[in-house]
mmCIF file of all heavy atoms in Angstrom:
data_model
loop_
_atom_site.group_PDB
_atom_site.id
_atom_site.type_symbol
_atom_site.label_atom_id
_atom_site.label_comp_id
_atom_site.label_asym_id
_atom_site.label_seq_id
_atom_site.Cartn_x
_atom_site.Cartn_y
_atom_site.Cartn_z
ATOM 1 N N LYS A 60 103.454 110.803 94.782
ATOM 2 C CA LYS A 60 104.707 110.618 95.488
ATOM 3 C C LYS A 60 105.805 110.060 94.602
ATOM 4 O O LYS A 60 106.908 110.585 94.616
ATOM 5 C CB LYS A 60 104.544 109.587 96.683
ATOM 6 C CG LYS A 60 103.571 109.993 97.761
ATOM 7 C CD LYS A 60 103.680 109.069 98.936
ATOM 8 C CE LYS A 60 103.173 107.633 98.686
ATOM 9 N NZ LYS A 60 101.859 107.450 98.369
ATOM 10 N N ASN A 61 105.405 109.083 93.858
ATOM 11 C CA ASN A 61 106.429 108.331 93.033
ATOM 12 C C ASN A 61 107.034 109.388 91.980
ATOM 13 O O ASN A 61 108.251 109.424 91.770
ATOM 14 C CB ASN A 61 105.781 107.203 92.366
ATOM 15 C CG ASN A 61 106.930 106.237 91.894
ATOM 16 O OD1 ASN A 61 107.286 106.272 90.757
ATOM 17 N ND2 ASN A 61 107.403 105.500 92.812
ATOM 18 N N THR A 62 106.213 110.178 91.332
ATOM 19 C CA THR A 62 106.614 111.158 90.404
ATOM 20 C C THR A 62 107.439 112.197 91.014
ATOM 21 O O THR A 62 108.557 112.684 90.528
ATOM 22 C CB THR A 62 105.343 111.839 89.748
ATOM 23 O OG1 THR A 62 104.396 110.807 89.398
ATOM 24 C CG2 THR A 62 105.778 112.631 88.616
ATOM 25 N N VAL A 63 107.102 112.618 92.281
ATOM 26 C CA VAL A 63 107.834 113.522 92.962
ATOM 27 C C VAL A 63 109.227 113.057 93.331
ATOM 28 O O VAL A 63 110.254 113.711 93.086
ATOM 29 C CB VAL A 63 107.169 114.057 94.264
ATOM 30 C CG1 VAL A 63 108.032 114.695 95.271
ATOM 31 C CG2 VAL A 63 105.911 114.778 94.047
ATOM 32 N N VAL A 64 109.291 111.828 93.908
ATOM 33 C CA VAL A 64 110.550 111.203 94.192
ATOM 34 C C VAL A 64 111.472 111.038 93.000
ATOM 35 O O VAL A 64 112.647 111.392 93.066
ATOM 36 C CB VAL A 64 110.212 109.774 94.835
ATOM 37 C CG1 VAL A 64 111.520 108.966 94.857
ATOM 38 C CG2 VAL A 64 109.668 109.962 96.300
ATOM 39 N N ARG A 65 110.935 110.614 91.872
ATOM 40 C CA ARG A 65 111.714 110.466 90.578
ATOM 41 C C ARG A 65 112.228 111.828 90.191
ATOM 42 O O ARG A 65 113.355 111.955 89.769
ATOM 43 C CB ARG A 65 110.944 109.841 89.511
ATOM 44 C CG ARG A 65 110.305 108.479 89.892
ATOM 45 C CD ARG A 65 111.401 107.479 89.668
ATOM 46 N NE ARG A 65 110.891 106.186 90.260
ATOM 47 C CZ ARG A 65 111.577 105.053 90.420
ATOM 48 N NH1 ARG A 65 112.894 105.138 90.261
ATOM 49 N NH2 ARG A 65 111.073 103.980 90.883
ATOM 50 N N ALA A 66 111.446 112.853 90.379
ATOM 51 C CA ALA A 66 111.793 114.206 89.999
ATOM 52 C C ALA A 66 112.974 114.774 90.808
ATOM 53 O O ALA A 66 113.776 115.622 90.472
ATOM 54 C CB ALA A 66 110.575 115.210 89.871
ATOM 55 N N MET A 67 113.004 114.326 92.114
ATOM 56 C CA MET A 67 113.985 114.845 93.018
ATOM 57 C C MET A 67 115.382 114.402 92.537
ATOM 58 O O MET A 67 116.319 115.080 92.839
ATOM 59 C CB MET A 67 113.691 114.269 94.448
ATOM 60 C CG MET A 67 112.640 114.782 95.156
ATOM 61 S SD MET A 67 112.049 113.727 96.601
ATOM 62 C CE MET A 67 113.478 113.817 97.680
ATOM 63 N N ALA A 68 115.518 113.261 91.820
ATOM 64 C CA ALA A 68 116.760 112.807 91.373
ATOM 65 C C ALA A 68 117.369 113.758 90.383
ATOM 66 O O ALA A 68 118.686 113.790 90.304
ATOM 67 C CB ALA A 68 116.563 111.528 90.696
ATOM 68 N N ALA A 69 116.653 114.692 89.785
ATOM 69 C CA ALA A 69 117.310 115.620 88.926
ATOM 70 C C ALA A 69 117.987 116.771 89.664
ATOM 71 O O ALA A 69 118.856 117.466 89.117
ATOM 72 C CB ALA A 69 116.174 116.262 88.005
ATOM 73 N N HIS A 70 117.656 116.947 90.960
ATOM 74 C CA HIS A 70 118.205 117.959 91.725
ATOM 75 C C HIS A 70 119.474 117.523 92.578
ATOM 76 O O HIS A 70 120.328 118.297 92.906
ATOM 77 C CB HIS A 70 117.189 118.639 92.716
ATOM 78 C CG HIS A 70 116.155 119.231 91.902
ATOM 79 N ND1 HIS A 70 115.998 120.601 91.743
ATOM 80 C CD2 HIS A 70 115.161 118.684 91.236
ATOM 81 C CE1 HIS A 70 114.964 120.804 90.931
ATOM 82 N NE2 HIS A 70 114.296 119.711 90.790
ATOM 83 N N ARG A 71 119.539 116.301 92.975
ATOM 84 C CA ARG A 71 120.491 115.756 93.925
ATOM 85 C C ARG A 71 120.583 114.245 93.746
ATOM 86 O O ARG A 71 119.653 113.651 93.218
ATOM 87 C CB ARG A 71 119.935 116.057 95.317
ATOM 88 C CG ARG A 71 121.014 116.404 96.375
ATOM 89 C CD ARG A 71 120.511 117.390 97.225
ATOM 90 N NE ARG A 71 120.571 116.871 98.544
ATOM 91 C CZ ARG A 71 120.390 117.554 99.600
ATOM 92 N NH1 ARG A 71 119.783 118.841 99.484
ATOM 93 N NH2 ARG A 71 120.479 117.187 100.712
ATOM 94 N N THR A 72 121.691 113.789 94.229
ATOM 95 C CA THR A 72 121.910 112.258 94.074
ATOM 96 C C THR A 72 121.321 111.585 95.330
ATOM 97 O O THR A 72 121.671 112.018 96.509
ATOM 98 C CB THR A 72 123.489 111.842 94.058
ATOM 99 O OG1 THR A 72 123.897 112.653 93.015
ATOM 100 C CG2 THR A 72 123.645 110.549 93.786
ATOM 101 N N PHE A 73 120.371 110.783 95.128
ATOM 102 C CA PHE A 73 119.702 110.048 96.212
ATOM 103 C C PHE A 73 119.737 108.640 95.846
ATOM 104 O O PHE A 73 119.788 108.230 94.619
ATOM 105 C CB PHE A 73 118.193 110.368 96.400
ATOM 106 C CG PHE A 73 117.879 111.787 96.723
ATOM 107 C CD1 PHE A 73 117.497 112.744 95.831
ATOM 108 C CD2 PHE A 73 118.004 112.140 98.120
ATOM 109 C CE1 PHE A 73 117.254 113.927 96.157
ATOM 110 C CE2 PHE A 73 117.767 113.504 98.479
ATOM 111 C CZ PHE A 73 117.296 114.335 97.485
ATOM 112 N N HIS A 74 119.761 107.716 96.802
ATOM 113 C CA HIS A 74 119.346 106.266 96.536
ATOM 114 C C HIS A 74 117.899 106.127 96.660
ATOM 115 O O HIS A 74 117.414 106.361 97.859
ATOM 116 C CB HIS A 74 120.178 105.302 97.332
ATOM 117 C CG HIS A 74 119.690 103.970 97.086
ATOM 118 N ND1 HIS A 74 119.878 103.275 95.846
ATOM 119 C CD2 HIS A 74 119.019 103.045 97.758
ATOM 120 C CE1 HIS A 74 119.357 102.123 95.896
ATOM 121 N NE2 HIS A 74 118.750 101.972 97.043
ATOM 122 N N PHE A 75 117.083 105.784 95.734
ATOM 123 C CA PHE A 75 115.786 105.468 95.807
ATOM 124 C C PHE A 75 115.542 103.992 96.217
ATOM 125 O O PHE A 75 115.954 103.135 95.531
ATOM 126 C CB PHE A 75 115.050 105.801 94.544
ATOM 127 C CG PHE A 75 113.631 105.387 94.514
ATOM 128 C CD1 PHE A 75 112.718 105.918 95.351
ATOM 129 C CD2 PHE A 75 113.129 104.379 93.691
ATOM 130 C CE1 PHE A 75 111.359 105.673 95.338
ATOM 131 C CE2 PHE A 75 111.811 103.991 93.661
ATOM 132 C CZ PHE A 75 110.905 104.585 94.455
ATOM 133 N N SER A 76 115.060 103.832 97.531
ATOM 134 C CA SER A 76 114.929 102.470 97.958
ATOM 135 C C SER A 76 113.813 101.758 97.159
ATOM 136 O O SER A 76 112.677 102.233 97.121
ATOM 137 C CB SER A 76 114.526 102.571 99.457
ATOM 138 O OG SER A 76 114.026 101.326 99.895
ATOM 139 N N VAL A 77 114.158 100.623 96.620
ATOM 140 C CA VAL A 77 113.281 99.852 95.742
ATOM 141 C C VAL A 77 112.668 98.822 96.788
ATOM 142 O O VAL A 77 113.271 97.937 97.236
ATOM 143 C CB VAL A 77 113.966 99.144 94.634
ATOM 144 C CG1 VAL A 77 112.995 98.312 93.792
ATOM 145 C CG2 VAL A 77 114.715 100.184 93.741
ATOM 146 N N SER A 78 111.320 98.876 96.830
ATOM 147 C CA SER A 78 110.604 97.985 97.763
ATOM 148 C C SER A 78 110.297 96.745 97.180
ATOM 149 O O SER A 78 110.320 96.629 95.948
ATOM 150 C CB SER A 78 109.237 98.716 98.153
ATOM 151 O OG SER A 78 109.451 99.890 98.823
ATOM 152 N N ALA A 79 109.982 95.720 98.064
ATOM 153 C CA ALA A 79 109.408 94.500 97.636
ATOM 154 C C ALA A 79 107.921 94.681 97.679
ATOM 155 O O ALA A 79 107.426 95.271 98.585
ATOM 156 C CB ALA A 79 109.842 93.414 98.479
#
Side-chain angles (χ1 to χ4, degrees):
K60 297 188 293 289
N61 199 263
T62 313
V63 166
V64 165
R65 301 282 172 193
M67 285 165 64
H70 297 258
R71 214 147 122 174
T72 309
F73 296 102
H74 173 67
F75 172 65
S76 164
V77 182
S78 297

